Amino acid sequence: MNGTAARIESTALVVAIVGFAAGALTGLLVFHGGTPPLSGPGSVGTLTTFTSGAVGLCVFVAGYVLSSGRPGREWRRTIPLWRRIVDIGALALAHAAVAMLAWITVAFVLAHAFIDAAIYSLAAYGLVGGGAAATAYLVFLSASDMTTSRLATVLVVFLVLGVLSATLSESDPHWWQTNISDLGVDKDFSGAMFDFTMIVAGVLITTLSSYLTSDLEASPLTRRPDGTPDPAARRHAAEITVGLIVLGLCMAGVGVFTVDLHTAIHIGVSIGMVIAFGYLVIRMPRLEPRLPRPFFLVGFAFLAVVVAAFVAYAVGYFYLTVVEIMAFALVFVWLFLLIRNVAAAASDLAVADAAAATPRA
């Protein structure tokens, strides 16, 4: 897809129309002219949720593959095929899951706003089609213009919604008195959702490392003042990539190795996440010294808070769940800040280089 932004928008509208047709046809086949409820089993909300998830999954794969031919995406073809397949799969699953969680929430809210309301058949077909169309449109635009910052946003939204869904569906109301990993122990929706969220989020972090590496290699941060590549800066960028990959694999390991069946490995990968985060924070001033100083200070502050929280847990002041939630939140906030600061620093250097290259009158 080598077209302009207007062409991408036009294509997204066509995809939305196809999505509407698919959703409406699904509603026709499932409801057979009945009057389904808004929420619950056999409802408009349930069908919209699953239809939108399937549409989002297919649309993302198509949009992402088509966009790989656009200028600036050449680096994607340098990644091994198996890695590209994993990256696309994780991104597609994340978009589909966000769409499903969003629609099931909307259905739940509407069902409580319109209690005992039944939907006539034509309206039901339209609602399912409309949900699929909106999902197709938004997912296609996201896939067609996937950037590092957008990927980070998808990652955070997916992680928050996934973990929140697991907590709300947990059968034990006092799960938080042990640790957050207990959510992945139950063999029900809560456990499956938590493990799925950890695995996909972990893979997304490794995908994020590829995007961030591409941004660094294309930016003045990895070049000398004369514009030639700086080998030392490239090595530093590679070290950041490795650190993020380790962080992502450890997070995925939390979902793969549940605390009830693989206790030692589960604890090991959990600690590995904190170690990888701490390593990146401590090394970042040397790896990317041209990033803003406040970013380094914030990173050290976050790391100090995480360490202090673990100490508070060790002396019995905090539940482990509180410590884990704080650590997760600070790690992802730091990742988001890293991406924004890399982009800002690269932009400032590019402007400065352009100004220096402009001849003065």
Side-chain angles (χ1 to χ4, degrees), residues 83-99:
R83 176 78 183 278
R84 276 182 277 170
I85 293 173
V86 171
D87 289 348
I88 295 173
L91 282 165
L93 286 171
H95 280 77
V98 168

Side-chain angles (χ1 to χ4, degrees), residues 216 221 280-281 283-300 334 336-349:
L216 287 170
L221 290 171
L280 287 171
V281 169
R283 286 283 293 161
M284 197 57 66
R286 285 187 173 274
L287 296 177
E288 291 297 340
R290 288 184 283 186
L291 293 181
R293 187 176 297 274
F295 170 71
F296 300 139
L297 296 178
V298 168
F300 286 120
W334 183 82
F336 195 79
L337 293 176
L338 171 63
I339 293 164
R340 292 190 61 85
N341 278 272
V342 166
S347 177
D348 289 346
L349 285 172

Side-chain angles (χ1 to χ4, degrees), residues 141-159:
L141 290 179
S142 179
S144 298
D145 192 24
M146 182 57 62
T147 61
T148 310
S149 59
R150 178 168 291 178
L151 197 161
T153 301
V154 170
L155 170 60
V156 172
V157 171
F158 168 71
L159 184 68

Side-chain angles (χ1 to χ4, degrees), residues 71-162:
R73 306 290 198 278
E74 297 83 4
W75 62 270
R76 291 183 184 176
R77 294 189 287 273
T78 65
I79 300 175
L81 179 60
W82 68 267
R83 176 78 183 278
R84 276 182 277 170
I85 293 173
V86 171
D87 289 348
I88 295 173
L91 282 165
L93 286 171
H95 280 77
V98 168
M100 292 178 69
L101 292 170
W103 284 120
I104 201 169
T105 301
V106 169
F108 178 81
V109 172
L110 290 178
H112 282 72
F114 301 94
I115 298 175
D116 296 331
I119 310 300
Y120 291 109
S121 56
L122 288 178
Y125 309 155
L127 287 173
V128 178
T135 300
Y137 177 78
L138 295 174
V139 170
F140 185 84
L141 290 179
S142 179
S144 298
D145 192 24
M146 182 57 62
T147 61
T148 310
S149 59
R150 178 168 291 178
L151 197 161
T153 301
V154 170
L155 170 60
V156 172
V157 171
F158 168 71
L159 184 68
V160 170
L161 290 179

Side-chain angles (χ1 to χ4, degrees), residues 233-287:
R234 293 294 180 95
R235 289 196 299 271
H236 291 167
E239 188 173 335
I240 294 173
T241 301
V242 172
L244 290 176
I245 290 175
V246 172
L247 179 64
L249 291 178
C250 287
M251 172 164 278
V254 170
V256 173
F257 305 104
T258 57
V259 69
D260 59 329
L261 299 178
H262 310 279
T263 305
I265 300 177
H266 183 92
I267 294 173
V269 294
S270 299
I271 295 174
M273 284 180 56
V274 177
I275 293 175
F277 169 63
Y279 178 85
L280 287 171
V281 169
I282 294 170
R283 286 283 293 161
M284 197 57 66
R286 285 187 173 274
L287 296 177

Side-chain angles (χ1 to χ4, degrees), residues 168-187:
L168 292 177
S169 58
E170 172 60 41
S171 57
D172 180 9
H174 299 110
W175 64 268
W176 52 271
Q177 293 182 352
T178 51
N179 59 73
I180 198 169
S181 295
D182 266 9
L183 290 172
V185 172
D186 293 338
K187 307 306 178 185

